[in-house]
Amino acid sequence: MQPKITPNHLGRGAVVYVRQSTLVQVMENTESQRRQYALAESARSLGFATVALIDDDLGRSGSGLVERPGFQKLVAQICAGSVGAVFCIEASRLARNGRDWHHLIDLCALAGTLVIDPDGTYDPRLVNDRLLLGLKGTMSEYELSLLRQRGIAARDAKALRGELQCSLPPGYCWNEIGQIEMDPDERVRGVIELLFAKFQELGSARQVLLWAQDQALQLPVARRNNRSACKLDWRPAAYHTVRQVLTHPAYAGAYVFGRTTQRTRVVDGRARKTTGHSKPMASWNVLLRDHHPGYINWEQYEANQKLIHENAHMQRRTDRKSARGGRALLTGLVRCGRCGRTMRVFYGSQSGHAHRYHCRGDDSHVGGWLCIGIGGVRIDRAVAAEIVAAVSVHAVEAAIQAADQSEKADAEIRQAVCRELEEARYEATMAARRYELVDPAKRLVARELETRWNTALERVAHLEERIAKHDVTSALRPKVDRTALISLARDLPATWNAPGTDMRTKQRITHILIREVILDLDETSNEAMVIIHWQGGRHTELRVSRVKTGRHTADRQPNALEAMRRLGGQWSDREVAVTMNRMHCKPPDGKAWTAVRVREMRERLGIAPFDPKARGEETISAEQAAARLGICVGSVHKLIREGILPATQLMFSAPWQIPTAALETDAVKAGAREIAARRPKFYKRFQEDKSIKLPGF
């Protein structure tokens, strides 16, 4: 027996600590595991009756940056005084950092615990043994740093040459001579190319995702990447899959390495390492352009990343934002000429209401100051006129290209489904071969293979049905009239201002041509100063006159004589007075109109007084219609705007004339029920108690 091992040590028992740094070592380096587990037999041969195994840290690094529950259990048992000796194959198994190692040796010295490895037995209470253990721990820590340094240097040197075979995204694979090439599978290449083409058309990763889901398009997802093979699974389109394809630089023909980094933070007094944190492009370890064939070029890749960056509206930054629909043409492009901040778009609550560009200034805290606000309708018209003038020369060429692209879109979708059908037929053929080769007597195997064959045939039938349905839909879809399209292109202003022109399309054209628009106000001339920064580097300065506060356009502010001749006798004198005051038709003395003033002027003009029976068809006002339908006046106006409730106006701001017979139509009743359903409790009380005043009266 060893002289350092006393009966006291034998009575407390021994602990064998087993650890390997990575899961790959656990799976492949099994000889090291056998040697470590064999230490239990060595402990028994030395006289330890009780031997405990701690192997909770298999696959965990001993660098101190990873949580090690097995090491914590070992420390707890040593502190409890129940461990007489700790067995390990070498010092590096216990710890690879000085803190854990020296802390363990201190505890062993206090508890009188021995440290035993194949080289000998060490008592931390003895000076020479403690010195030797300290050297072992220091060499273990240095060895880890040295091995890591050598491995990283060799890895980076190989990556700088573009020869390090790391995992590749779907659409690429390593060939036999260590070069990156496109996947030979036509279906994989076709889907990747289709995603990039759709992103060019739609300008949004989310819109590409919605399109792929609408077309039931399946995307390749890497299941296992290594040097020899890249196995793919075909799954329904998901956002992270689409974004990975659009943002990975490998698709632009670039070899990249070191796009992510590790971060170390202190948690509960110990260092913890996390991985997968993205780095900016300037900090990538390796970036080799034109390294292999790409689906797009590098310039297109940078433009795509810029567009995706602009699509992130929720991030607080001053960069321009992408177009997301709405009535404002310059959404995401407008910048304040006074403080330099990006201006926001504010829409009115009513449909068709004018929008405004607002700079909220320093609104990061309560009580922050506001900057400027400008009406957006006239600004948009002025900028749109400049855009039309700039692109009118190339309008016919763009129209021809749009017609070709429209005809090509359906063909690309059909081709992608046909490739999927071809692969499904191959899988069905393979399933049939497997079923034919099985011994019929092995019914358990035969039934499973038959089920797989039937599943493959069902998939083939489903894809054939999709192609047939696509062909029928394409045949029924109206063809693009190239002649009409070219004629519209020649008259570009009419095409731009046509009611059916999509606003999102206008915004995308604006974002392609314009870098940003600077807005400011000239208080002295009451004009908006507009500076357009074009993408080519040129600038255009415009001055747009603003509508003065409190004024109306000419069609909405007729003179008093015209208003009296059109309204007099059609409504009561009181209604005519209210309407003329609303239109700011002032009498010569500048005072407000009253029923007496209206009657006097009507009599001077020889206009007969109001007679409800002379109208012919019985009509009522909007207020009376609201009371009969049980809704508010605002809801009545909404029904009129939507064309559900027929009504007429003699002129702008005049009272509405609503036929009473229209209130009994099914469309009007359905519209009123839909409005009442939004506030059921309130309208129920109104039906029960007519004394309740509806909002809007």
Side-chain angles (χ1 to χ4, degrees), residues 483-512:
T483 305
L485 193 61
I486 294 175
S487 64
L488 288 175
R490 291 193 178 96
D491 190 7
L492 190 56
T495 306
W496 182 278
N497 298 317
T501 305
D502 184 24
M503 194 63 193
R504 188 183 292 271
T505 304
K506 295 182 182 179
Q507 292 173 346
R508 288 207 61 200
I509 295 174
T510 305
H511 277 68
I512 293 173

mmCIF file of all heavy atoms in Angstrom, residues 483-512:
data_model
loop_
_atom_site.group_PDB
_atom_site.id
_atom_site.type_symbol
_atom_site.label_atom_id
_atom_site.label_comp_id
_atom_site.label_asym_id
_atom_site.label_seq_id
_atom_site.Cartn_x
_atom_site.Cartn_y
_atom_site.Cartn_z
ATOM 1 N N THR A 483 -49.806 45.918 -76.837
ATOM 2 C CA THR A 483 -50.099 47.169 -77.551
ATOM 3 C C THR A 483 -50.687 48.208 -76.611
ATOM 4 O O THR A 483 -50.281 49.383 -76.608
ATOM 5 C CB THR A 483 -51.062 46.893 -78.711
ATOM 6 O OG1 THR A 483 -50.515 45.876 -79.549
ATOM 7 C CG2 THR A 483 -51.306 48.162 -79.506
ATOM 8 N N ALA A 484 -51.663 47.759 -75.789
ATOM 9 C CA ALA A 484 -52.271 48.698 -74.833
ATOM 10 C C ALA A 484 -51.260 49.153 -73.790
ATOM 11 O O ALA A 484 -51.258 50.315 -73.367
ATOM 12 C CB ALA A 484 -53.478 48.042 -74.156
ATOM 13 N N LEU A 485 -50.366 48.240 -73.386
ATOM 14 C CA LEU A 485 -49.367 48.598 -72.381
ATOM 15 C C LEU A 485 -48.395 49.633 -72.922
ATOM 16 O O LEU A 485 -48.033 50.596 -72.230
ATOM 17 C CB LEU A 485 -48.613 47.340 -71.941
ATOM 18 C CG LEU A 485 -47.745 47.458 -70.681
ATOM 19 C CD1 LEU A 485 -48.590 47.816 -69.483
ATOM 20 C CD2 LEU A 485 -47.010 46.152 -70.424
ATOM 21 N N ILE A 486 -47.980 49.488 -74.163
ATOM 22 C CA ILE A 486 -47.058 50.457 -74.758
ATOM 23 C C ILE A 486 -47.741 51.805 -74.952
ATOM 24 O O ILE A 486 -47.138 52.872 -74.759
ATOM 25 C CB ILE A 486 -46.516 49.903 -76.091
ATOM 26 C CG1 ILE A 486 -45.645 48.671 -75.814
ATOM 27 C CG2 ILE A 486 -45.723 50.959 -76.840
ATOM 28 C CD1 ILE A 486 -45.167 47.973 -77.073
ATOM 29 N N SER A 487 -49.027 51.791 -75.317
ATOM 30 C CA SER A 487 -49.758 53.060 -75.467
ATOM 31 C C SER A 487 -49.892 53.786 -74.137
ATOM 32 O O SER A 487 -49.808 55.014 -74.068
ATOM 33 C CB SER A 487 -51.137 52.795 -76.074
ATOM 34 O OG SER A 487 -51.920 52.002 -75.193
ATOM 35 N N LEU A 488 -50.096 53.021 -73.056
ATOM 36 C CA LEU A 488 -50.138 53.643 -71.737
ATOM 37 C C LEU A 488 -48.777 54.201 -71.342
ATOM 38 O O LEU A 488 -48.686 55.238 -70.675
ATOM 39 C CB LEU A 488 -50.614 52.631 -70.692
ATOM 40 C CG LEU A 488 -52.082 52.241 -70.735
ATOM 41 C CD1 LEU A 488 -52.363 51.142 -69.712
ATOM 42 C CD2 LEU A 488 -52.972 53.440 -70.462
ATOM 43 N N ALA A 489 -47.723 53.498 -71.729
ATOM 44 C CA ALA A 489 -46.384 53.977 -71.386
ATOM 45 C C ALA A 489 -46.072 55.298 -72.071
ATOM 46 O O ALA A 489 -45.345 56.137 -71.523
ATOM 47 C CB ALA A 489 -45.355 52.924 -71.772
ATOM 48 N N ARG A 490 -46.610 55.491 -73.273
ATOM 49 C CA ARG A 490 -46.367 56.766 -73.959
ATOM 50 C C ARG A 490 -47.062 57.920 -73.254
ATOM 51 O O ARG A 490 -46.593 59.048 -73.301
ATOM 52 C CB ARG A 490 -46.843 56.661 -75.412
ATOM 53 C CG ARG A 490 -45.994 55.720 -76.266
ATOM 54 C CD ARG A 490 -46.293 55.899 -77.735
ATOM 55 N NE ARG A 490 -45.445 55.047 -78.557
ATOM 56 C CZ ARG A 490 -45.800 53.867 -79.025
ATOM 57 N NH1 ARG A 490 -47.023 53.385 -78.738
ATOM 58 N NH2 ARG A 490 -44.972 53.151 -79.769
ATOM 59 N N ASP A 491 -48.179 57.643 -72.607
ATOM 60 C CA ASP A 491 -48.886 58.667 -71.826
ATOM 61 C C ASP A 491 -48.658 58.366 -70.345
ATOM 62 O O ASP A 491 -49.553 57.963 -69.620
ATOM 63 C CB ASP A 491 -50.378 58.646 -72.171
ATOM 64 C CG ASP A 491 -51.115 59.845 -71.561
ATOM 65 O OD1 ASP A 491 -50.438 60.733 -71.004
ATOM 66 O OD2 ASP A 491 -52.353 59.863 -71.620
ATOM 67 N N LEU A 492 -47.414 58.547 -69.889
ATOM 68 C CA LEU A 492 -47.033 58.149 -68.537
ATOM 69 C C LEU A 492 -47.773 58.925 -67.451
ATOM 70 O O LEU A 492 -48.156 58.340 -66.434
ATOM 71 C CB LEU A 492 -45.519 58.301 -68.365
ATOM 72 C CG LEU A 492 -44.927 57.703 -67.090
ATOM 73 C CD1 LEU A 492 -45.267 56.229 -66.980
ATOM 74 C CD2 LEU A 492 -43.423 57.906 -67.055
ATOM 75 N N PRO A 493 -48.006 60.246 -67.585
ATOM 76 C CA PRO A 493 -48.754 60.940 -66.520
ATOM 77 C C PRO A 493 -50.141 60.368 -66.290
ATOM 78 O O PRO A 493 -50.582 60.224 -65.143
ATOM 79 C CB PRO A 493 -48.803 62.390 -67.030
ATOM 80 C CG PRO A 493 -47.626 62.517 -67.928
ATOM 81 C CD PRO A 493 -47.479 61.186 -68.587
ATOM 82 N N ALA A 494 -50.839 60.021 -67.366
ATOM 83 C CA ALA A 494 -52.175 59.437 -67.193
ATOM 84 C C ALA A 494 -52.089 58.073 -66.526
ATOM 85 O O ALA A 494 -52.934 57.723 -65.685
ATOM 86 C CB ALA A 494 -52.875 59.323 -68.554
ATOM 87 N N THR A 495 -51.063 57.296 -66.879
ATOM 88 C CA THR A 495 -50.886 55.984 -66.243
ATOM 89 C C THR A 495 -50.564 56.130 -64.768
ATOM 90 O O THR A 495 -51.066 55.388 -63.922
ATOM 91 C CB THR A 495 -49.766 55.214 -66.957
ATOM 92 O OG1 THR A 495 -50.054 55.159 -68.355
ATOM 93 C CG2 THR A 495 -49.637 53.810 -66.404
ATOM 94 N N TRP A 496 -49.698 57.097 -64.446
ATOM 95 C CA TRP A 496 -49.296 57.301 -63.045
ATOM 96 C C TRP A 496 -50.477 57.721 -62.188
ATOM 97 O O TRP A 496 -50.635 57.267 -61.051
ATOM 98 C CB TRP A 496 -48.185 58.338 -62.993
ATOM 99 C CG TRP A 496 -47.658 58.602 -61.615
ATOM 100 C CD1 TRP A 496 -48.192 59.427 -60.676
ATOM 101 C CD2 TRP A 496 -46.510 58.007 -61.009
ATOM 102 N NE1 TRP A 496 -47.450 59.409 -59.535
ATOM 103 C CE2 TRP A 496 -46.403 58.544 -59.701
ATOM 104 C CE3 TRP A 496 -45.554 57.098 -61.434
ATOM 105 C CZ2 TRP A 496 -45.384 58.183 -58.834
ATOM 106 C CZ3 TRP A 496 -44.533 56.740 -60.580
ATOM 107 C CH2 TRP A 496 -44.454 57.275 -59.294
ATOM 108 N N ASN A 497 -51.329 58.588 -62.711
ATOM 109 C CA ASN A 497 -52.451 59.128 -61.939
ATOM 110 C C ASN A 497 -53.734 58.328 -62.095
ATOM 111 O O ASN A 497 -54.776 58.744 -61.566
ATOM 112 C CB ASN A 497 -52.713 60.585 -62.356
ATOM 113 C CG ASN A 497 -51.524 61.479 -62.080
ATOM 114 O OD1 ASN A 497 -50.899 61.390 -61.026
ATOM 115 N ND2 ASN A 497 -51.194 62.347 -63.035
ATOM 116 N N ALA A 498 -53.684 57.207 -62.793
ATOM 117 C CA ALA A 498 -54.893 56.401 -62.964
ATOM 118 C C ALA A 498 -55.340 55.842 -61.623
ATOM 119 O O ALA A 498 -54.518 55.483 -60.773
ATOM 120 C CB ALA A 498 -54.627 55.263 -63.946
ATOM 121 N N PRO A 499 -56.660 55.759 -61.378
ATOM 122 C CA PRO A 499 -57.148 55.247 -60.079
ATOM 123 C C PRO A 499 -56.717 53.815 -59.794
ATOM 124 O O PRO A 499 -56.545 53.436 -58.640
ATOM 125 C CB PRO A 499 -58.679 55.361 -60.206
ATOM 126 C CG PRO A 499 -58.909 56.373 -61.296
ATOM 127 C CD PRO A 499 -57.771 56.212 -62.240
ATOM 128 N N GLY A 500 -56.522 52.993 -60.809
ATOM 129 C CA GLY A 500 -56.173 51.602 -60.582
ATOM 130 C C GLY A 500 -54.693 51.338 -60.364
ATOM 131 O O GLY A 500 -54.298 50.196 -60.120
ATOM 132 N N THR A 501 -53.851 52.369 -60.462
ATOM 133 C CA THR A 501 -52.411 52.177 -60.265
ATOM 134 C C THR A 501 -52.123 51.889 -58.798
ATOM 135 O O THR A 501 -52.551 52.626 -57.910
ATOM 136 C CB THR A 501 -51.640 53.423 -60.724
ATOM 137 O OG1 THR A 501 -51.988 53.721 -62.074
ATOM 138 C CG2 THR A 501 -50.148 53.178 -60.627
ATOM 139 N N ASP A 502 -51.381 50.819 -58.539
ATOM 140 C CA ASP A 502 -51.075 50.399 -57.171
ATOM 141 C C ASP A 502 -50.115 51.392 -56.517
ATOM 142 O O ASP A 502 -49.084 51.749 -57.091
ATOM 143 C CB ASP A 502 -50.472 48.997 -57.179
ATOM 144 C CG ASP A 502 -50.233 48.473 -55.765
ATOM 145 O OD1 ASP A 502 -50.906 48.950 -54.844
ATOM 146 O OD2 ASP A 502 -49.362 47.594 -55.604
ATOM 147 N N MET A 503 -50.451 51.834 -55.299
ATOM 148 C CA MET A 503 -49.609 52.797 -54.598
ATOM 149 C C MET A 503 -48.287 52.180 -54.190
ATOM 150 O O MET A 503 -47.256 52.861 -54.172
ATOM 151 C CB MET A 503 -50.352 53.323 -53.360
ATOM 152 C CG MET A 503 -49.706 54.555 -52.753
ATOM 153 S SD MET A 503 -49.732 55.927 -53.917
ATOM 154 C CE MET A 503 -48.618 57.075 -53.146
ATOM 155 N N ARG A 504 -48.280 50.905 -53.860
ATOM 156 C CA ARG A 504 -47.012 50.260 -53.487
ATOM 157 C C ARG A 504 -46.038 50.257 -54.665
ATOM 158 O O ARG A 504 -44.828 50.410 -54.479
ATOM 159 C CB ARG A 504 -47.281 48.836 -53.006
ATOM 160 C CG ARG A 504 -46.056 48.144 -52.424
ATOM 161 C CD ARG A 504 -46.394 46.722 -52.039
ATOM 162 N NE ARG A 504 -47.305 46.676 -50.915
ATOM 163 C CZ ARG A 504 -46.909 46.662 -49.645
ATOM 164 N NH1 ARG A 504 -45.631 46.690 -49.360
ATOM 165 N NH2 ARG A 504 -47.795 46.603 -48.673
ATOM 166 N N THR A 505 -46.558 50.092 -55.890
ATOM 167 C CA THR A 505 -45.709 50.138 -57.077
ATOM 168 C C THR A 505 -45.106 51.523 -57.254
ATOM 169 O O THR A 505 -43.919 51.669 -57.568
ATOM 170 C CB THR A 505 -46.515 49.742 -58.317
ATOM 171 O OG1 THR A 505 -47.092 48.447 -58.124
ATOM 172 C CG2 THR A 505 -45.636 49.729 -59.547
ATOM 173 N N LYS A 506 -45.920 52.571 -57.060
ATOM 174 C CA LYS A 506 -45.396 53.935 -57.140
ATOM 175 C C LYS A 506 -44.299 54.166 -56.110
ATOM 176 O O LYS A 506 -43.269 54.794 -56.395
ATOM 177 C CB LYS A 506 -46.529 54.944 -56.923
ATOM 178 C CG LYS A 506 -47.600 54.951 -57.987
ATOM 179 C CD LYS A 506 -48.628 56.034 -57.669
ATOM 180 C CE LYS A 506 -49.754 56.062 -58.658
ATOM 181 N NZ LYS A 506 -50.764 57.105 -58.341
ATOM 182 N N GLN A 507 -44.510 53.667 -54.901
ATOM 183 C CA GLN A 507 -43.510 53.862 -53.853
ATOM 184 C C GLN A 507 -42.215 53.138 -54.186
ATOM 185 O O GLN A 507 -41.125 53.665 -53.938
ATOM 186 C CB GLN A 507 -44.071 53.371 -52.518
ATOM 187 C CG GLN A 507 -45.210 54.216 -51.979
ATOM 188 C CD GLN A 507 -45.847 53.616 -50.743
ATOM 189 O OE1 GLN A 507 -45.627 52.455 -50.424
ATOM 190 N NE2 GLN A 507 -46.649 54.399 -50.054
ATOM 191 N N ARG A 508 -42.291 51.933 -54.753
ATOM 192 C CA ARG A 508 -41.075 51.202 -55.120
ATOM 193 C C ARG A 508 -40.314 51.938 -56.219
ATOM 194 O O ARG A 508 -39.084 52.023 -56.195
ATOM 195 C CB ARG A 508 -41.422 49.787 -55.583
ATOM 196 C CG ARG A 508 -41.864 48.869 -54.458
ATOM 197 C CD ARG A 508 -41.552 47.434 -54.798
ATOM 198 N NE ARG A 508 -40.123 47.249 -54.979
ATOM 199 C CZ ARG A 508 -39.596 46.223 -55.643
ATOM 200 N NH1 ARG A 508 -40.382 45.317 -56.198
ATOM 201 N NH2 ARG A 508 -38.295 46.100 -55.772
ATOM 202 N N ILE A 509 -41.026 52.475 -57.205
ATOM 203 C CA ILE A 509 -40.368 53.261 -58.251
ATOM 204 C C ILE A 509 -39.694 54.479 -57.646
ATOM 205 O O ILE A 509 -38.555 54.832 -58.002
ATOM 206 C CB ILE A 509 -41.393 53.665 -59.329
ATOM 207 C CG1 ILE A 509 -41.930 52.427 -60.054
ATOM 208 C CG2 ILE A 509 -40.777 54.637 -60.318
ATOM 209 C CD1 ILE A 509 -43.049 52.717 -61.031
ATOM 210 N N THR A 510 -40.376 55.125 -56.710
ATOM 211 C CA THR A 510 -39.798 56.305 -56.052
ATOM 212 C C THR A 510 -38.540 55.946 -55.287
ATOM 213 O O THR A 510 -37.536 56.677 -55.322
ATOM 214 C CB THR A 510 -40.838 56.932 -55.113
ATOM 215 O OG1 THR A 510 -42.035 57.228 -55.846
ATOM 216 C CG2 THR A 510 -40.305 58.209 -54.499
ATOM 217 N N HIS A 511 -38.545 54.817 -54.582
ATOM 218 C CA HIS A 511 -37.368 54.411 -53.818
ATOM 219 C C HIS A 511 -36.210 54.032 -54.730
ATOM 220 O O HIS A 511 -35.045 54.172 -54.343
ATOM 221 C CB HIS A 511 -37.716 53.235 -52.896
ATOM 222 C CG HIS A 511 -38.345 53.646 -51.607
ATOM 223 N ND1 HIS A 511 -39.611 54.197 -51.540
ATOM 224 C CD2 HIS A 511 -37.881 53.616 -50.335
ATOM 225 C CE1 HIS A 511 -39.896 54.464 -50.284
ATOM 226 N NE2 HIS A 511 -38.864 54.134 -49.529
ATOM 227 N N ILE A 512 -36.511 53.528 -55.924
ATOM 228 C CA ILE A 512 -35.441 53.182 -56.860
ATOM 229 C C ILE A 512 -34.763 54.435 -57.396
ATOM 230 O O ILE A 512 -33.538 54.479 -57.564
ATOM 231 C CB ILE A 512 -36.010 52.329 -58.006
ATOM 232 C CG1 ILE A 512 -36.470 50.962 -57.469
ATOM 233 C CG2 ILE A 512 -34.985 52.139 -59.120
ATOM 234 C CD1 ILE A 512 -37.190 50.121 -58.493
#
